[in-house]
Amino acid sequence: MRAFRITGVCVLLCLLIAPAWAAEGAADVTAANVAADGGWASYGGDAGGQRYVAADEIAPDNVSKLTLAWKFRTGALEGKPENVLARTAFEVTPILAAGSLIFCTPYNEVIALDPATGDEKWRFDPHLPLTLRPANQYVCRGVAYWKDRSAPEGQACSERIFVATNHSRLIALDAHSGKVCNGFGSRITPGMVDAGPDRLLIWPGEFQITSPPVTVHNVVIVGSSISDNARTDAPSGVVRAFDARSGEPIWTFDPLDPNNQEPGLAKVGAANVWAPMSVDEERGLVFLPTSSASPDFYGGGRPGNNALADSVVAVDVESGQVVWSFQTVHHDVWDYDLPAQPTLATIMHDGKPEDVVIQATKTGFLFVLDRDTGKPVFGVEERKVPQSDVPGEKLSPTQPFPVKPPALIPQKLKKGGSWGVLAFDQLSCNRRLQHYRSEGLFTPPSLQGTILYPFNGGGANWGGLAFDPKRDIAVVNMNSMAHVVTLIPRDKVKGEKETHEGAEISPQTGAPYGMRRDLFMSPLGLPCTPPPWGYLIGVNMETGEIAWRKPFGTVRDMTPLALPLEWGVPSFGGPLVTKTGLIFIGATMDNYLRAYSTETGDEIWKARLPAGGQATPMSYTWKGRQYVVIAAGGHARAGTKLGDYIMAYALPEKGKADKD
């Protein structure tokens, strides 16, 4: 059981993975400017993804009194066949908009709740096909809100909720009723537009949308999630912008447009934006975290650095033109794509405030970039890295390493440095390690097998980070495990799949090599890498130094016995931080929502969840009472308990504490 659950979560994390502005009338309202009074109007709290709550009712001195205020069950799992449940993950973060708490289920049903009671107000069901077999599971991380200030107050669809679906539709709903906005899209498909791929799919779930759209001015923008390693000519990772009123296309941005690439690029795809995006409304910019070009582990057919892949890209929301970009990995053959929302923050630097973009990465780095230029705030060095011995592959001789902050997790597994709970376990891991390439970060995939450490699930993943502007601290949870990636000559791929039926072997069709990806695990089913396997980390953003680092999570729900061993475990989902100095986070494999001190990283409260809390919590104030809310629905591939809960916690209501 323990081996299955650790293996499940790691496999999951590896897969993780001009007319735009109205000329008439007043400006519209986006999520950036409606999050007043302790609100949470965007997936990341505000449009810049800080996940910061200004409300101050819940504080370190009273957080121990938090209790369950209400819970809601979506019913989304009822009647679903086992093959669908086996592809389900409840990763959503609700938003507070139009007087309701609004979120989506893994099957893109959109539900609005009363913020005080959790009672259902309305529900929309897009009747998502259950035959998709989505490559990245049935997932919906959130919805987006937009208000049209040029429309009469109270008019239907003057306030809208946008949801992007697993079958690649962008749907506009009235925020007060949940009914589709008929003026959006066409008469044939009222209320929705097609945001699908640019080429035929191998199977229906090869292309999907898992993260929420973003809205800015009169524009709604969507990315996509595309299956890894199926083929070199994967679907394009085009980002699409639509008119928020009509649904008319405005612009597209393709990170692999030939105009942005080095000469000689073959027909490849992806470099998509599967993680959440961020918006700076004042600057008119949307910040895109792009992924790697296809396929992930062999780049011989895509020479050069692949320009805008694996990059933070600032795009003008009016034209779709690139304002600046910064690449975090050159010519990626490690699946080290950007998995997290770029966080827009203002930090103190050299004694004065500076607007920045903080990008968390799978490699364990935080890149801190000037928001206007994309230049690194603390400096970045190009350092020599190991080179490939695979015929046809030519890597970048250097990779970018931030001067500050330092790497937040280990990045090299030295020969003889494996871990084991027993002596024979450790010995077995070390013997295997001798046979693999393991030269530290950016050791390339090989025919003999290569240790990728951190593994493709991070470092950071889609949960990203939270930023406390009062204390200038960024908080991020990171994973610390390893993969073995082995390239397989084309003529041997079929035989390998037949011989090793349960292994993850992908064809990378169109490349001369397929690939096999295995967790670096011991005979007892535990990681060969030393614990902690999960960290919670606070970074001082004024100095660029690590403020504190703690093991994150226990193995309690990963073993037959409820052992509360604090070894740190893999996690997905992210943190929120509060004005009062609290961190709230679920994410781990042991089914808890926890509160920590922002200043020290010490745990000071936790509540048992009825299912896996692999989601990012949110917080809001409603009628003078502050709530902390998390989706508890688990992750099928991770082996955590499935469920359909929205859980809300609050301090006892005044006057009722004594009676209770």
Side-chain angles (χ1 to χ4, degrees):
M1 179 64 73
R2 169 165 51 191
F4 169 77
R5 292 198 173 184
I6 292 179
T7 300
V9 71
C10 295
V11 170
L12 170 69
L13 287 172
C14 295
L15 298 176
L16 308 160
I17 133 148
W21 296 12
E24 76 285 357
D28 66 293
V29 172
T30 67
N33 53 16
V34 294
D37 300 325
W40 192 284
S42 285
Y43 166 81
D46 68 313
Q50 288 194 21
R51 298 172 179 84
Y52 173 75
V53 182
D56 58 6
E57 182 185 10
I58 302 172
D61 62 357
N62 63 20
V63 67
S64 63
K65 298 179 182 178
L66 277 185
T67 187
L68 184 65
W70 55 260
K71 67 180 177 182
F72 174 82
R73 302 197 67 173
T74 70
L77 304 184
E78 295 177 6
K80 300 293 190 298
E82 286 300 320
N83 66 321
V84 170
L85 295 178
R87 296 178 180 271
T88 294
F90 198 20
E91 298 180 352
V92 74
T93 299
I95 64 171
L96 183 68
S100 296
L101 200 65
I102 306 176
F103 65 96
C104 51
T105 73
Y107 314 109
N108 298 118
E109 299 163 281
V110 182
I111 301 172
L113 305 180
D114 183 295
T117 65
D119 293 335
E120 184 174 324
K121 297 173 71 173
W122 57 257
R123 178 186 295 240
F124 168 79
D125 188 351
H127 301 291
L128 189 73
L130 299 181
T131 55
L132 294 176
R133 293 187 296 116
N136 296 292
Q137 301 197 99
Y138 286 100
V139 171
C140 182
R141 296 192 182 97
V143 299
Y145 168 79
W146 176 78
K147 182 173 182 178
D148 185 354
R149 279 296 180 90
S150 68
E153 193 70 29
Q155 177 178 295
C157 287
S158 62
E159 294 182 81
R160 300 186 179 193
I161 295 296
F162 289 100
V163 61
T165 70
N166 286 282
H167 65 332
S168 309
R169 306 296 190 269
L170 175 64
I171 302 174
L173 306 173
D174 178 79
H176 292 279
S177 68
K179 295 180 180 179
V180 296
C181 297
N182 290 322
F184 186 85
S186 68
R187 292 183 179 180
I188 299 175
T189 58
M192 71 175 64
V193 295
D194 189 345
D198 63 337
R199 61 198 67 175
L200 292 176
L201 301 179
I202 301 176
W203 77 96
E206 185 185 11
F207 184 104
Q208 61 188 126
I209 305 174
T210 54
S211 289
V214 293
T215 60
V216 54
H217 299 291
N218 296 320
V219 186
V220 55
I221 304 168
V222 294
S224 60
S225 181
I226 300 171
S227 178
D228 292 338
N229 306 314
R231 48 176 170 157
T232 59
D233 62 337
S236 167
V238 170
V239 175
R240 294 173 170 83
F242 299 90
D243 186 284
R245 294 189 183 94
S246 68
E248 288 294 320
I250 295 175
W251 52 258
T252 59
F253 164 70
D254 184 355
L256 295 181
D257 186 305
N259 294 325
N260 298 324
Q261 298 298 321
E262 299 88 343
L265 187 71
K267 184 180 180 182
V268 298
N272 52 305
V273 177
W274 66 266
M277 299 169 279
S278 298
V279 164
D280 185 322
E281 182 175 13
E282 182 179 346
R283 288 173 169 84
L285 296 177
V286 57
F287 296 89
L288 312 176
T290 64
S291 70
S292 54
S294 61
D296 282 348
F297 297 103
Y298 178 78
R302 45 177 173 88
N305 284 349
N306 308 143
L308 299 181
D310 299 279
S311 299
V312 181
V313 185
V315 170
D316 183 273
V317 299
E318 182 177 4
S319 65
Q321 296 299 307
V322 176
V323 175
W324 60 259
S325 66
F326 181 87
Q327 190 169 57
T328 62
V329 179
H330 307 321
H331 190 86
D332 186 1
V333 292
W334 302 272
D335 191 19
Y336 282 155
D337 55 9
L338 291 184
Q341 182 178 26
T343 300
L344 309 188
T346 301
I347 66 172
M348 292 301 296
H349 182 63
D350 290 338
K352 59 183 179 180
E354 182 168 355
D355 292 345
V356 299
V357 180
I358 309 172
Q359 181 64 60
T361 69
K362 291 182 178 180
T363 57
F365 287 130
L366 296 185
F367 286 87
V368 185
L369 311 173
D370 182 90
R371 206 181 306 174
D372 290 310
T373 66
K375 294 180 179 179
V377 171
F378 294 108
V380 166
E381 297 176 346
E382 288 287 337
R383 299 177 186 170
K384 291 183 179 180
V385 293
Q387 295 298 291
S388 179
D389 57 4
V390 174
E393 184 66 89
K394 186 174 182 180
L395 302 180
S396 170
T398 64
Q399 291 290 345
F401 286 72
V403 176
K404 290 183 178 182
L408 304 187
I409 57 172
Q411 295 177 321
K412 185 174 183 179
L413 190 60
K414 297 179 180 179
K415 303 292 185 180
S418 295
W419 179 88
V421 69
L422 298 175
F424 87 90
D425 212 29
Q426 184 177 18
L427 180 62
S428 174
C429 289
N430 278 325
R431 283 176 174 171
R432 292 170 53 213
L433 182 59
Q434 293 295 325
H435 297 289
Y436 301 134
R437 287 195 67 176
S438 182
E439 300 157 45
L441 187 64
F442 298 120
T443 305
S446 61
L447 295 169
Q448 74 188 74
T450 291
I451 296 290
L452 267 60
Y453 187 47
F455 78 144
N456 317 127
N461 213 272
W462 56 263
L465 61 85
F467 177 71
D468 183 337
K470 182 178 178 181
R471 296 166 182 82
D472 233 355
I473 289 180
V475 178
V476 62
N477 53 305
M478 288 198 169
N479 302 305
S480 182
M481 298 182 68
H483 263 129
V484 179
V485 171
T486 308
L487 295 178
I488 306 169
R490 171 62 49 213
D491 60 355
K492 296 183 179 180
V493 172
K494 182 178 179 181
E496 283 290 308
K497 287 181 70 69
E498 292 173 350
T499 304
H500 304 283
E501 189 174 341
E504 183 195 356
I505 298 174
S506 299
Q508 299 192 142
T509 302
Y513 307 97
M515 70 76 125
R516 175 170 176 169
R517 179 166 50 184
D518 299 282
L519 295 164
F520 189 33
M521 305 289 277
S522 78
L524 293 180
L526 290 169
C528 287
T529 50
W533 302 309
Y535 292 90
L536 188 65
I537 305 162
V539 182
N540 184 317
M541 296 310 300
E542 182 174 3
T543 65
E545 302 294 340
I546 297 173
W548 48 261
R549 179 167 46 198
K550 305 282 186 176
F552 182 43
T554 72
V555 299
R556 167 179 172 152
D557 293 310
M558 300 166 64
T559 61
L561 300 175
L563 301 174
L565 299 174
E566 295 186 8
W567 287 353
V569 295
S571 65
F572 41 103
L576 73 83
V577 292
T578 74
K579 177 181 178 181
T580 58
L582 290 171
I583 303 161
F584 285 97
I585 184 168
T588 63
M589 302 289 290
D590 56 358
N591 301 349
Y592 282 101
L593 174 65
R594 291 179 167 92
Y596 296 85
S597 165
T598 308
E599 296 181 352
T600 67
D602 294 334
E603 180 184 311
I604 51 181
W605 173 85
K606 64 182 177 183
R608 186 80 172 150
L609 297 173
Q614 286 71 55
T616 301
M618 55 87 73
S619 182
Y620 61 92
T621 298
W622 188 257
K623 296 182 179 179
R625 193 181 189 197
Q626 185 181 354
Y627 298 82
V628 176
V629 172
I630 189 170
H635 230 295
R637 290 183 186 173
T640 57
K641 183 180 178 181
L642 292 185
D644 61 353
Y645 299 87
I646 299 291
M647 308 289 289
Y649 297 87
L651 296 174
E653 292 185 83
K654 294 178 181 179
K656 292 187 177 181
D658 294 338
K659 296 178 182 179
D660 294 341

